[in-house]
Amino acid sequence: MIKENDDESLRARAAAQLPRNAIEGGATVPPETLRLVHELQVHQLELELQNEELQRARAEVEHGLARYAELYEDAPIGYFTLGSDGEILRVNRAASALLGPGRGPLVGQRLGLWVRMPDRTRFSQFVDRLFAAAGQGSCEVVIEREAAAWAVVVELTGAASADGRHARVMATDITESRRTSQALHDREVRYRTLFERSRDALLTLSPPGWCFSSANRAAQVMFGADEAALALRTLPECSPPMQADGGDSAAAVGRHLDTAMREGSHTFDWTFLRGADGGFPAAVSLTRMDVDGMSVIHASIRDETEKRASLAHLAQADRLSSMGMLAASVAHEINNPLAYVLTNLELLATDLPALVAAIARCTSALHERVGEPTFARVIGTSLDGLGALQLGDVVDRATEALQGTRRICDVVKGLRTFSRVEQVERSRVDIERAVSSAIAMAQNEIRYRARLVTEFRSVPKVWASEGKLSQVLLNLLINAAHAFEDADPSGALITVKTWVDGDSVCIGVDDNGRGIAPDNLARVFEPFFTTKGVGKGSGLGLAICRELVAELGGALTVTSQVGVGSAFLVRLPAAAPARDSDAVRPEHAPPAAAVTRARVLVIDDEPSIRGALSRLLRGAHDVVAVGSGAEAKALITADPAFDVILCDVMMPGMTGMEFHAWLVGRDSALAARVVFVTGGAFTPKAADYLERVAAPRLDKPFDSATVRQVVADMIAAD
């Protein structure tokens, strides 16, 4: 339609187009005709203008459609045009790429064929919603292609056309987004799992007061409070006022936090409080973390109680091992001289009374025969020493020396027992012997504090390590002695008892000392807990004792009452009865009434021991003594007629084991006559050899009765 403001221009154009001949001929044209011609021409012009606008609009539409088709085709997002039953009417390049095959085969097929089976119901409901009253909707499905070898997660959104004949659906590949989201979720779950299941306490400290803003389960257990209660606390509030080094806890925490904020991380040792249980050592690691523009500190706290107890136990075991090595070395060095000193003193103590009596008789007879002047001249200055009192004193001195030597033997036996404290091997242990070894070692601690009473009943042996058992008993005896610190020793009493209770062998160490307070009684076996003053105890003795008894299959318990005393009970399972071949001979069994004279070979590199054994046996037997395995080898090669062979284990050159091995190959019957003489210090090879051959042993320092009995038993076994 022509606009009003264009009317004049149209009329001018119409007038200009009137027939020229009519104007030139001067013909008169009726007005009505002119008007009709004018309207006709105007209408014609209007049609021409409308046609031009229509062409211009059509060109714009076609250009827009081409642009839309280009955008639709090249869009990075997939577009589907779907029919009401889900068939594909049109698809762009991105949507075709989602499905895989070329575009041709897609048109006319149902999109649901590419949807994973579990998602098809949801997809059908999505399509139904789109065509329900020209509705719209969205859903998420998994598209499978190429025989399910590749699957993508697709988010579908769309709306139906106004006439409800088709629907436009936009398909977005969110596979990577879902994968990233799942990875983040998995990472969060993994972090949360690690956070909650960590054995270390994990906490977050937030400024400005550095209170706990989060705490895992281990932290709640460690400090005995739930997360809400912990959120009101700070590190100083979970710590004693003073640390082990004497420093103020609050001030020290401030320094540690400043260091962590400045350097990014910081570790240190600390002591925390755990409710009524007192303090416990811990290792603390602080790490600065930036969260949403704010710096917080992540704290990792590890309870070091068990670790430090283990380290202390290892240190104690190392000290015990060193003590055992030293004890073994000292015992071995003492054993050789002690063996011949003891033997010679026993012989002197046996021979001196008869010798003194003979001297007294001779002196008296001489005095009567020659008279006083001659007797005094003959005896001279020795006269005073030959009186009955003086001669009796000689016997007493020899007897006292023998008693002292036997006490030294008891101490050495104790040292030998403790030198085996680290041996793993167990054996059938005589309880009374283990207790006696511990008493010998603890005697110096006991004698000035209390009186010791023993009540030994007949009990079976236990399957244990003698060294470890003696260590337990030694510690219990020393603890009992220390129960009388600053007390009147006149009424102080320590009682050691043994008895049988069912299948268990029991050892009791009781004292009537100051006792243990009820609050401390439940903690006496805790590592590092001690009621002794600073520098008087590490708090490890009873903890180690309980662990050692547990290793032996037993239990260590205590009862106590303040002002009455304490009673420690060691309960161990009894060993199975020994076979006849394993029966141990009594150490001081009386010799047989009549001993067959035999030929005895003594092999020892120590001349004094050879001499002592020779003097001890030569009255009843024929004794041959040599100083090395090589000499014995040469002797036996020439003359093998020996009934008993006493052979030292450790000798330079050919050892006792090497000599025995040679003898086994040469004459097994004679090898069965070997008794090993040992000071107790074995190499692992020697210990293994002695265990395998199971030959009789004579331990230094030995007494004369034991030596005679061993020789008599070997002769009787023929």
Side-chain angles (χ1 to χ4, degrees):
M1 177 170 297
I2 300 175
K3 297 178 182 179
E4 300 250 345
N5 54 7
D6 291 335
D7 184 62
E8 291 300 328
S9 61
L10 288 175
R11 292 181 183 278
R13 291 176 60 188
Q17 294 179 6
L18 287 175
R20 184 175 296 276
N21 56 355
I23 297 174
E24 291 177 352
T28 301
V29 180
E32 184 65 23
T33 300
L34 289 175
R35 186 182 65 81
L36 290 174
V37 170
H38 175 71
E39 289 180 357
L40 179 63
Q41 290 176 337
V42 169
H43 180 67
Q44 182 178 355
L45 289 174
E46 287 179 347
L47 289 177
E48 291 177 356
L49 289 175
Q50 288 178 357
N51 185 56
E52 289 178 2
E53 289 182 2
L54 180 62
Q55 293 298 326
R56 188 165 52 250
R58 181 178 296 160
E60 290 177 356
V61 169
E62 290 178 351
H63 178 74
L65 289 174
R67 180 61 179 161
Y68 169 78
E70 180 181 355
L71 292 174
Y72 179 87
E73 185 69 18
D74 297 334
I77 299 175
Y79 289 102
F80 293 96
T81 302
L82 301 181
S84 59
D85 60 352
E87 76 274 16
I88 300 174
L89 303 179
R90 189 176 180 187
V91 58
N92 73 341
R93 187 179 293 112
S96 177
L98 281 176
L99 302 185
R103 183 179 310 175
L106 296 180
V107 175
Q109 298 193 51
R110 286 181 173 81
L111 180 58
L113 295 176
W114 279 269
V115 176
R116 184 179 61 179
M117 186 63 68
D119 297 344
R120 289 186 180 179
T121 300
R122 184 164 64 253
F123 174 74
S124 297
Q125 294 171 349
F126 164 70
V127 174
D128 292 343
R129 283 197 305 272
L130 293 183
F131 287 96
Q136 59 184 5
S138 64
C139 75
E140 185 178 302
V141 296
V142 175
I143 298 293
E144 294 179 331
R145 54 187 182 181
E146 299 178 5
W150 185 13
V152 293
V153 182
V154 177
E155 183 181 33
L156 301 175
T157 58
S161 61
D163 56 9
R165 298 176 60 183
H166 63 272
R168 298 295 178 92
V169 176
M170 181 175 66
T172 306
D173 184 352
I174 60 173
T175 306
E176 195 62 35
S177 172
R178 283 290 178 268
R179 185 179 294 118
T180 301
S181 176
Q182 186 63 41
L184 290 173
H185 176 266
D186 293 345
R187 187 178 304 169
E188 181 179 353
V189 170
R190 186 164 55 251
Y191 170 78
R192 176 56 58 178
T193 301
L194 292 173
F195 182 81
E196 289 299 334
R197 295 186 180 180
S198 172
R199 295 182 61 186
D200 295 338
L202 303 178
L203 306 105
T204 303
L205 286 69
S206 300
W210 297 114
C211 292
F212 301 138
S213 56
S214 67
N216 68 346
R217 179 61 183 165
Q220 298 170 40
V221 172
M222 178 177 288
F223 295 109
D226 59 22
E227 191 169 15
L230 281 176
L232 303 175
R233 299 186 188 177
T234 62
L235 281 175
E237 291 171 343
C238 296
S239 310
M242 306 294 287
Q243 287 297 303
D245 60 0
D248 180 74
S249 292
V253 164
R255 292 193 298 271
H256 292 313
L257 291 173
D258 290 343
T259 302
M261 290 295 291
R262 184 176 63 254
E263 299 182 3
S265 63
H266 180 52
T267 59
F268 55 94
D269 293 331
W270 197 252
T271 299
F272 286 102
L273 290 176
R274 181 164 36 214
D277 294 339
F280 64 94
V284 182
S285 176
L286 303 180
T287 304
R288 187 191 67 228
M289 302 176 66
D290 295 326
V291 179
D292 297 332
M294 181 179 68
S295 292
V296 299
I297 289 181
H298 175 79
S300 174
I301 302 174
R302 174 168 296 178
D303 189 335
E304 296 277 89
T305 303
E306 292 185 6
K307 177 182 177 181
R308 297 193 185 184
S310 177
L311 291 175
H313 192 178
L314 289 174
Q316 178 75 354
D318 186 60
R319 288 193 295 270
L320 288 172
S321 178
S322 299
M323 185 186 77
M325 293 174 61
L326 178 61
S329 177
V330 170
H332 184 260
E333 291 302 316
I334 293 176
N335 272 334
N336 278 340
L338 192 58
Y340 58 77
V341 168
L342 177 61
T343 303
N344 289 330
L345 280 175
E346 285 183 332
L347 292 174
L348 281 173
T350 301
D351 296 341
L352 269 178
L355 181 60
V356 166
I359 292 174
R361 289 195 303 271
C362 291
T363 303
S364 178
L366 179 61
H367 186 271
E368 291 178 1
R369 179 69 60 89
V370 301
E372 180 66 29
T374 304
F375 179 77
R377 188 175 66 254
V378 173
I379 299 302
T381 58
S382 302
L383 181 61
D384 293 338
L386 294 177
L389 185 61
Q390 289 75 15
L391 289 174
D393 186 58
V394 171
V395 176
D396 292 341
R397 279 181 279 171
T399 303
E400 290 175 3
L402 178 60
Q403 292 173 349
T405 304
R406 284 175 174 163
R407 285 184 59 185
I408 295 173
C409 290
D410 292 338
V411 174
V412 171
K413 286 180 180 178
L415 287 174
R416 290 177 54 200
T417 298
F418 282 87
S419 71
R420 298 191 294 271
V421 73
E422 290 304 307
Q423 288 184 354
V424 178
E425 297 82 3
R426 298 184 187 181
S427 60
R428 300 176 70 253
V429 175
D430 186 310
I431 289 293
E432 185 173 340
R433 187 172 69 178
V435 173
S436 298
S437 296
I439 290 174
M441 296 294 291
Q443 192 63 49
N444 193 57
E445 289 282 339
I446 297 173
R447 71 175 64 193
Y448 302 111
R449 291 184 171 93
R451 182 168 59 92
L452 179 67
V453 175
T454 58
E455 299 176 6
F456 295 149
R457 296 182 184 177
S458 179
V459 297
K461 294 186 177 182
V462 295
W463 191 254
S465 163
E466 184 175 1
K468 290 185 177 180
L469 180 56
S470 295
Q471 179 190 342
V472 170
L473 297 173
L474 173 62
N475 196 84
L476 295 180
L477 286 168
I478 292 175
N479 275 0
H482 289 175
F484 300 103
E485 295 280 7
D486 303 325
D488 182 5
S490 59
L493 181 65
I494 297 174
T495 305
V496 182
K497 302 177 290 185
T498 62
W499 71 96
V500 176
D501 182 11
D503 295 331
S504 298
V505 176
C506 300
I507 309 168
V509 179
D510 304 346
D511 67 74
N512 60 350
R514 61 174 175 267
I516 305 172
D519 292 343
N520 296 331
L521 188 60
R523 303 185 60 197
V524 292
F525 295 115
E526 288 183 11
F528 304 110
F529 177 79
T530 179
T531 58
K532 299 178 182 179
V534 177
K536 294 184 179 181
S538 64
L540 289 172
L542 289 176
I544 293 174
C545 285
R546 184 176 62 172
E547 184 175 336
L548 291 178
V549 173
E551 286 179 12
L552 301 177
L556 173 60
T557 57
V558 60
T559 57
S560 186
Q561 185 176 347
V562 175
V564 176
S566 303
F568 285 85
L569 171 61
V570 178
R571 185 182 293 270
L572 295 169
R579 301 187 304 271
D580 291 342
S581 59
D582 294 334
V584 179
R585 305 181 186 92
E587 289 190 5
H588 300 289
V595 179
T596 303
R597 192 170 187 87
R599 193 163 183 250
V600 180
L601 173 61
V602 177
I603 311 170
D604 200 300
D605 63 304
E606 185 73 45
S608 298
I609 292 180
R610 293 199 306 271
L613 288 173
S614 297
R615 284 190 293 273
L616 179 61
L617 297 172
R618 66 189 174 195
H621 306 286
D622 299 322
V623 181
V624 178
V626 295
S628 68
E631 289 182 64
K633 181 178 177 182
L635 178 61
I636 288 177
T637 301
D639 179 13
F642 290 98
D643 300 294
V644 182
I645 300 175
L646 303 179
C647 179
D648 191 14
V649 174
M650 305 303 294
M651 295 183 292
M654 176 179 280
T655 65
M657 294 86 68
E658 292 169 339
F659 167 76
H660 182 267
W662 170 83
L663 191 57
V664 168
R666 177 182 176 83
D667 187 342
S668 59
L670 185 57
R673 296 290 179 184
V674 172
V675 176
F676 283 114
V677 181
T678 171
F682 303 140
T683 63
K685 181 179 178 181
D688 179 66
Y689 186 85
L690 294 178
E691 183 71 22
R692 283 189 292 107
V693 300
R697 278 172 45 185
L698 185 60
D699 292 333
K700 303 174 186 176
F702 39 73
D703 55 41
S704 57
T706 301
V707 175
R708 291 190 180 105
Q709 185 63 47
V710 168
V711 172
D713 289 345
M714 292 298 290
I715 296 170
D718 190 2

